[in-house]
């Protein structure tokens, strides 16, 4: 292929890519390519403020503005991350214009980028800031080479010349310091608004991001017998596109679990009451749990609350930075200090890391019952304690559920149902497919809902609600599938038991395992019963067929 043809093909590709990127704007918001401020309204589905979903290009030199906009449309990061990258790129391009005058992008060489690197080295920016700035420049040249037919070489270095420093200790807060905060936030005598107390215990009890907790809907609670399920939206997996992934956290309604659930219920009532009294400010989400009047802590011979007079008659969605500000206010007013007499002013991110390293709350059990015994050099010792922990969890789950004993529970085999009253058995036999429910090992309809009065087996909010219900009738034909599912959850427990960061996965797996173990026992008891019946029937038949005379 000659050079002319290659250039022609590349030019066509670049043109088509640019058109595709401009058409992509319709999926993001209601702005034009020529605008210098882009609000990604269609990706704004959480509690973050509008600014976190807005890109601005005022800092970019006018000669390079189009290229930076195409770059922004090519990025698939969070909008706030794209904004930071664009600002870093603008810093580099302004340096080029100032030092060398306007240069077409294809004319920028390694020497020009090295000069910028040298200026970064001499700057007062932190090493992490320098690293991110250079990484943004490299990413910019890498991506625009796709739609700039004249750019053949990437002038930046492939290996970043600036090393990023990480300080993991900054993300942790000591258990002793946490206990001080816990004591204060459980003190009902302190003038702490309900929404702040509820938020504190949600971020303290579960390892979720503050944005996710603040984006909880008012109908986030689902009840199920002695348990509740808290539904929290997760945006990380969906990348901000479409609907968020909903994480369901099972909570036993006793102990600390009851305390957290009751707080959520009270906040639901308060939010509904406020909605009937106050209007919602512009661009705020109407269905959020944390829809509040604006206020601050202030010192008046103790901790007090003062509503913002300018905004007091409107409702707003809370944001992460505002929560950090309130934590700081409370820490200063209450003079919360550790044993070294240092002020403890944590951030929400501190609580996120602490929730996964030392959890006060794990589906309602005590600390002793859920302690992650990590740090053993001997792996078999860790597995021994894990086994003890799993057995204790299973005992608690099945005890709270108050389910029937396996040998007393109903089971079905080849259309015959054991341990059910005649009326229900007769009703189920009329149209068994109507009562099929849920799945095991990926197969649909491997159980029967014996609640003929109206339970909807297809509509339960949580898969294992059926397994944890006395109405559920397992089918012996699918015993191998129940066992395969049991093995799957055993492997999940094995993978997560020693990792404190995955405590929620561990808890969920133990819960599922305990219910599956019961279902397998029901089937095995059923097999024994049907075998015994077959033997008796065969013996009876043999006796009847034998001619004694």
């Amino acid at each position: 292929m000659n050079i002319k043809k290659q250039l022609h093909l590349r030019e066509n590709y670049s043109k088509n890519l640019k058109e595709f990127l401009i058409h992509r704007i319709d999926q993001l918001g209601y702005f034009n390519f020529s605008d210098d401020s882009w609000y990604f309204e269609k990706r704004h589905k959480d509690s973050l403020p509008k600014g976190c979903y807005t890109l601005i290009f005022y800092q970019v030199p006018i000669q390079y503005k189009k290229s930076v906009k195409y770059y922004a449309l090519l990025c698939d990061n969070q909008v706030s991350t794209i904004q930071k990258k664009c600002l870093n790129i603008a810093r580099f391009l302004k340096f080029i214009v100032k030092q060398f005058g306007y240069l077409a992008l294809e004319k920028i060489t390694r020497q020009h980028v090295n000069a910028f690197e040298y200026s970064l080295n001499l700057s007062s920016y932190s090493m992490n800031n320098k690293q991110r700035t250079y990484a943004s420049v490299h990413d910019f040249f890498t991506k625009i080479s796709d739609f700039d037919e004249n750019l053949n070489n990437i002038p930046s270095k492939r290996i970043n010349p600036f090393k990023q420093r990480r300080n993991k200790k900054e993300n942790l807060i000591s258990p002793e310091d946490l206990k001080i905060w816990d004591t204060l936030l459980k003190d009902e005598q302190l003038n702490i608004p309900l929404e702040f107390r509820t938020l504190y215990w949600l971020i303290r009890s579960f390892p979720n991001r503050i944005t996710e907790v603040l984006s909880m809907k008012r109908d986030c609670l689902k009840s199920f017998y002695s348990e509740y399920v808290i539904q929290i939206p997760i945006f990380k997996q969906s990348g901000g596109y479409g609907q968020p992934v909903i994480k369901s956290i099972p909570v036993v309604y006793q102990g600390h679990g009851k305390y957290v659930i009751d707080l959520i219920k009270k906040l639901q009532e308060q939010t509904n009451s406020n909605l009937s009294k106050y209007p919602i400010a512009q661009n705020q989400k109407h269905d959020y749990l944390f829809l509040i009047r604006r206020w601050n802590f202030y010192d008046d011979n103790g901790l007090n609350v003062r509503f913002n007079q300018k905004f007091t008659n409107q409702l707003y969605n809370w944001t992460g930075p505002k929560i950090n500000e309130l934590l700081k206010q409370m820490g200063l007013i209450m003079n919360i200090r550790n044993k070294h007499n240092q002020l403890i002013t944590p951030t929400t991110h501190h609580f996120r890391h602490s929730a996964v390293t030392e959890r006060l709350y794990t589906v309602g059990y005590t600390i002793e019952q859920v302690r992650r015994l990590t740090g053993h050099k001997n792996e078999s010792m860790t597995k021994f304690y894990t086994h003890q922990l799993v057995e204790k969890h299973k005992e608690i789950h099945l005890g709270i559920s108050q389910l029937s004993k396996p040998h007393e529970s109903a089971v079905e085999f080849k259309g015959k149902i054991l341990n059910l009253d005649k009326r229900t058995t007769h009703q189920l036999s009329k149209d068994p497919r109507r009562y099929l429910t849920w799945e095991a090992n990926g197969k649909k309809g491997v159980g029967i809902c014996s609640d003929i009065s109206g339970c909807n087996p297809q509509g339960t909010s949580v898969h294992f609600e059926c397994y944890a219900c006395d109405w559920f009738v397992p089918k012996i034909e699918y015993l191998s599938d129940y066992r395969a599912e049991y093995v799957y959850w055993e492997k999940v427990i094995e993978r997560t038991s020693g990792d404190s960061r995955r405590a929620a996965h561990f808890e969920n797996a133990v819960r599922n395992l305990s219910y599956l173990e019961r279902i397998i026992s029901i089937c095995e008891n059923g097999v024994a019963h049907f075998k015994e019946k077959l033997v008796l029937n065969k013996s009876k038949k043999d006796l009847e067929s034998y001619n004694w005379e």
Side-chain angles (χ1 to χ4, degrees), residues 441-489:
N441 198 28
K443 294 183 180 178
K444 299 283 184 182
V446 290
I448 298 171
C449 179
S450 61
D451 183 4
I452 58 176
S453 62
C455 178
N456 181 5
Q458 303 292 333
T460 52
S461 60
V462 180
H463 181 146
F464 273 76
E465 280 191 7
C466 288
Y467 286 180
C469 176
D470 259 337
W471 294 110
F472 180 77
V473 180
K475 294 164 70 71
I476 292 177
E477 293 93 330
Y478 290 96
L479 178 56
S480 60
D481 294 296
Y482 297 133
R483 284 174 173 160
E485 197 172 15
Y486 182 90
V487 170
Y488 168 80
W489 290 110

Side-chain angles (χ1 to χ4, degrees), residues 57 137 260 302 395 422:
F57 301 97
V137 172
V260 174
E395 178 188 332
K422 288 183 179 180

Side-chain angles (χ1 to χ4, degrees), residues 252-416:
V252 177
Y253 192 60
Q254 65 177 35
H256 182 72
K258 182 179 185 300
Y259 178 73
V260 174
I261 295 297
D262 287 343
L263 283 175
I264 295 173
K265 287 180 177 179
K266 289 175 187 175
L267 184 57
Q268 286 174 327
E269 292 175 5
Q270 176 181 290
T271 304
N272 288 331
S273 174
N274 283 342
L275 281 167
S276 64
K277 299 176 185 175
Y278 308 104
I280 300 174
Q282 192 176 4
N283 297 323
Q284 303 298 295
K285 306 289 184 181
H286 291 220
D287 55 348
Y288 280 4
L289 176 65
F290 292 96
L291 196 60
I292 54 93
R293 298 164 67 199
R294 289 189 177 178
W295 55 267
N296 287 292
F297 285 120
Y298 79 101
D299 190 359
D300 185 16
N301 295 322
L303 190 68
N304 281 282
V305 172
R306 179 164 47 207
F307 286 93
N308 190 317
Q309 295 302 314
K310 185 178 178 182
F311 305 105
T312 190
N313 291 322
Q314 287 185 310
L315 299 179
Y316 293 83
N317 301 137
W318 248 350
T319 64
K322 180 61 182 177
I323 305 306
N324 287 332
E325 184 185 330
L326 292 173
L327 285 167
K328 188 175 181 180
Q329 290 171 6
M330 182 174 172
L332 290 169
I333 294 168
M334 298 298 294
N335 196 26
I336 303 174
R337 295 179 178 272
N338 59 20
K339 60 184 178 182
H340 305 295
N341 203 34
Q342 297 170 323
L343 274 169
I344 311 169
T345 52
T347 66
T348 57
H349 208 61
H350 281 124
F351 286 114
R352 169 169 162 73
H353 279 269
S354 299
V356 297
T357 52
E358 184 192 324
R359 299 187 64 192
L360 173 70
Y361 171 71
T362 309
V363 293
Y365 313 145
T366 65
I367 295 172
E368 290 73 23
Q369 290 167 342
V370 298
R371 183 179 297 143
R372 293 284 134 344
L373 297 169
T374 56
H376 292 114
K377 291 184 179 179
N378 187 333
E379 188 178 349
S380 62
M381 179 65 91
T382 305
K383 286 185 176 179
F384 169 76
Y385 283 115
T386 298
H387 175 73
Q388 300 296 318
L389 185 61
V390 169
E391 291 305 311
K392 186 65 179 175
H393 279 209
K394 283 156 56 174
E395 178 188 332
I396 292 170
H397 270 307
L398 294 175
I400 290 173
S401 302
Q402 296 181 335
L403 298 170
S404 303
K405 301 295 182 185
H407 66 275
E408 299 169 350
S409 300
V411 64
E412 186 263 7
F413 181 57
K414 293 184 177 179
K416 295 181 179 178

Side-chain angles (χ1 to χ4, degrees), residues 130-225:
K130 294 173 185 177
Q131 192 272 345
R132 286 191 288 266
T133 300
Y134 197 93
S136 299
V137 172
H138 179 73
D139 191 48
F140 172 66
F141 279 110
T142 302
K143 282 189 169 65
I144 64 167
S145 62
D146 284 338
F147 57 77
D148 193 329
E149 59 274 11
N150 298 314
L151 191 65
N152 294 309
N153 298 312
I154 297 173
S156 54
K157 295 174 182 175
R158 186 172 60 85
I159 299 175
N160 198 311
F162 302 101
K163 291 184 178 179
Q164 191 171 17
R165 293 172 182 168
R166 298 181 183 275
N167 188 356
K168 293 184 179 179
K169 289 184 179 179
E170 291 180 359
N171 293 326
L172 300 177
I173 182 170
S174 73
E176 293 79 14
D177 295 347
L178 280 173
K179 285 176 183 175
I180 298 172
W181 276 88
D182 290 346
T183 303
L184 291 172
L185 266 296
K186 280 235 174 159
D187 186 350
E188 298 294 336
Q189 302 304 313
L190 283 177
N191 186 14
I192 299 174
L194 173 63
E195 57 264 32
F196 189 79
R197 202 184 294 270
T198 305
L199 180 71
Y200 176 88
W201 285 114
L202 282 170
I203 59 177
R204 176 71 179 93
S205 304
F206 310 106
N208 295 298
R209 295 172 179 82
I210 184 62
T211 305
E212 296 164 351
V213 175
L214 290 175
S215 300
M216 290 168 61
K217 302 294 180 67
R218 283 199 300 283
D219 61 348
C220 59
L221 275 185
K222 307 294 178 185
S223 61
F224 173 65
Y225 292 103

